Amino acid sequence: MPSEITPTPPKYLQEEETLPLELKNIISTLPKEKGWLASRLYLYQGFWYPVRHLGGVINCQNLFRPNETDIFLSTTPKSGTTWLKALVFTLTNRKTHPVTKNHPLITKNPHDLVPFLEIKLFVDNQVPDLSSLASPRLFSTHLPFNSLPEPVKLNPGCKIVYLCRNPKDIFVSLWHFTNSLKPQDTKTNSIEDVFDMFCRGVTLFGPVWDHVLEYWKQSQEKPDRVYFLKFEDVKEKPGECIRGLAGFLGCPFSEGEEESGLVDDILRMCSFEHLRALEINKNGKLSSGEENKAFFRRGVVGDWKNYLSDEMADKIDGISKEKLGGSGLIV
């Protein structure tokens, strides 16, 4: 009988034995905890990363050089990242890619159109050639503000759009998402397994509250550079939010565009329901192994009520009040 072939694990499950020596030496000095998906998370510059992403973070910090017109979309995982990418890509490319049946979103997942710096472009010691990208270049990141490459923080022309979300919904969405990525022969995490970890900040690119607060402070100090959005506000008043976003990015809607109904066309194109129904998002995969459908579970406000006990909800609310108290930000 032929020997059984062990399938290659997805790239997001890469572990320490495959790492270059330099990165092994770095992680040997870092605090570590059990991971939600990969076996371990490592604490680097105050935030927690799977080992493969950590390599991308360090590589990105060392090598990335921004252009004056670059736009960065920043989020914590499961804060509406996929939706934000679709909106900003469609908004900023509306001249070259009109909202028609041939739009790039019809055949490409938003994560392919707006690549992650640390998860896609600079992971696995890659040195990407970004010179051919049209201006303004769009990049995505889950990095906290203080861990962004120094040239990004110092470049006065770079703009950052930050999207935050209620931490209770983030937790429930992240729990579902990480379980959906686990191999079928691997035990999934119960909600109790990861709740305490989330509350302690031990989560992908967490603590969530510290991540949000860094960008909130920057948006208050440098509103011309950092635009702060709430997932719940974009859901409740999408037209107002996308108009404000267009103004911030220097591409406001013209009177003719307003009269033609372009704002509503963009919102329909980028709606959760429309994106989820596309063939590419029902059956496609990212190059890193994740199925596109994993990024389209529900996309609603308040789903946490279906999963969290009163005690769980109160605990997260208490942490939010403690961490964000006095900042002027309510999540």
Side-chain angles (χ1 to χ4, degrees):
M1 289 181 62
S3 59
E4 184 175 343
I5 299 175
T6 303
T8 302
K11 291 182 178 180
Y12 51 80
L13 292 177
Q14 177 181 352
E15 299 295 354
E16 288 85 339
E17 57 269 16
T18 62
L19 299 177
L21 180 60
E22 181 181 3
L23 185 54
K24 284 184 179 181
N25 290 337
I26 291 173
I27 67 171
S28 69
T29 69
L30 300 177
K32 61 186 177 182
E33 290 256 8
K34 174 187 174 183
W36 294 40
L37 186 57
S39 63
R40 298 178 186 85
L41 294 173
Y42 292 89
L43 185 66
Y44 176 73
Q45 296 180 342
F47 291 81
W48 293 93
Y49 304 94
V51 66
R52 183 170 181 259
H53 293 170
L54 177 56
V57 170
I58 295 171
N59 199 34
C60 171
Q61 289 176 333
N62 291 336
L63 299 177
F64 180 70
R65 297 295 178 266
N67 290 342
E68 285 278 338
T69 56
D70 285 350
I71 297 170
F72 300 88
L73 311 184
S74 184
T75 56
T76 60
K78 310 317 296 173
S79 295
T81 308
T82 311
W83 188 25
L84 182 64
K85 288 185 178 188
L87 284 170
V88 176
F89 178 88
T90 306
L91 177 65
T92 57
N93 289 281
R94 65 187 190 268
K95 303 296 185 186
T96 52
H97 297 299
V99 182
T100 68
K101 62 181 180 180
N102 297 319
H103 194 273
L105 277 175
I106 303 298
T107 56
K108 292 183 182 294
N109 182 274
H111 293 295
D112 288 322
L113 295 173
V114 184
F116 277 106
L117 287 172
E118 71 282 357
I119 296 176
K120 172 71 174 178
L121 295 175
F122 288 90
V123 78
D124 298 334
N125 284 322
Q126 294 181 109
V127 184
D129 180 4
L130 307 175
S131 60
S132 63
L133 297 181
S135 178
R137 303 187 305 182
L138 297 180
F139 300 107
S140 178
T141 184
H142 285 323
L143 281 171
F145 182 84
N146 289 335
S147 292
L148 289 173
E150 285 300 316
V152 174
K153 291 188 284 186
L154 297 175
N155 191 313
C158 295
K159 292 196 179 279
I160 299 170
V161 178
Y162 188 79
L163 182 64
C164 82
R165 191 181 188 186
N166 185 304
K168 298 190 291 291
D169 275 331
I170 289 176
F171 167 67
V172 168
S173 184
L174 189 61
W175 170 57
H176 280 290
F177 180 71
T178 51
N179 275 343
S180 74
L181 297 183
K182 282 179 170 285
Q184 290 186 350
D185 59 350
T186 304
K187 180 184 176 183
T188 58
N189 297 316
S190 71
I191 199 166
E192 293 79 13
D193 288 336
V194 290
F195 180 75
D196 178 66
M197 296 174 69
F198 181 84
C199 291
R200 291 189 292 115
V202 184
T203 181
L204 300 170
F205 297 86
V208 166
W209 299 272
D210 298 358
H211 200 288
V212 170
L213 191 57
E214 284 190 6
Y215 282 96
W216 171 251
K217 288 180 177 178
Q218 290 298 318
S219 74
Q220 300 303 292
E221 295 171 8
K222 301 172 184 175
D224 58 323
R225 290 203 59 208
V226 181
Y227 194 74
F228 194 96
L229 283 168
K230 294 182 180 180
F231 180 92
E232 294 77 14
D233 289 343
V234 183
K235 278 285 188 180
E236 182 180 349
K237 42 190 178 184
E240 178 181 326
C241 288
I242 197 174
R243 288 181 177 94
L245 187 54
F248 171 76
L249 295 175
C251 55
F253 291 100
S254 67
E255 184 176 338
E257 287 177 326
E258 289 282 5
E259 291 177 352
S260 72
L262 181 59
V263 173
D264 288 337
D265 289 344
I266 290 176
L267 292 173
R268 278 193 293 270
M269 170 69 75
C270 300
S271 70
F272 184 89
E273 293 75 20
H274 178 254
L275 293 176
R276 181 170 61 177
L278 295 172
E279 182 66 23
I280 184 64
N281 295 323
K282 289 194 292 186
N283 297 307
K285 281 188 177 184
L286 300 183
S287 60
S288 49
E290 298 93 336
E291 293 185 336
N292 289 342
K293 65 183 179 182
F295 298 96
F296 297 94
R297 191 182 67 88
R298 292 204 63 196
V300 299
V301 174
D303 189 41
W304 62 266
K305 296 174 184 176
N306 298 312
Y307 298 94
L308 300 185
S309 66
D310 290 343
E311 291 77 12
M312 286 176 161
D314 288 346
K315 183 167 183 177
I316 291 180
D317 286 342
I319 297 171
S320 296
K321 185 178 295 186
E322 176 188 348
K323 290 273 193 175
L324 305 178
S327 69
L329 174 63
I330 299 175
V331 296

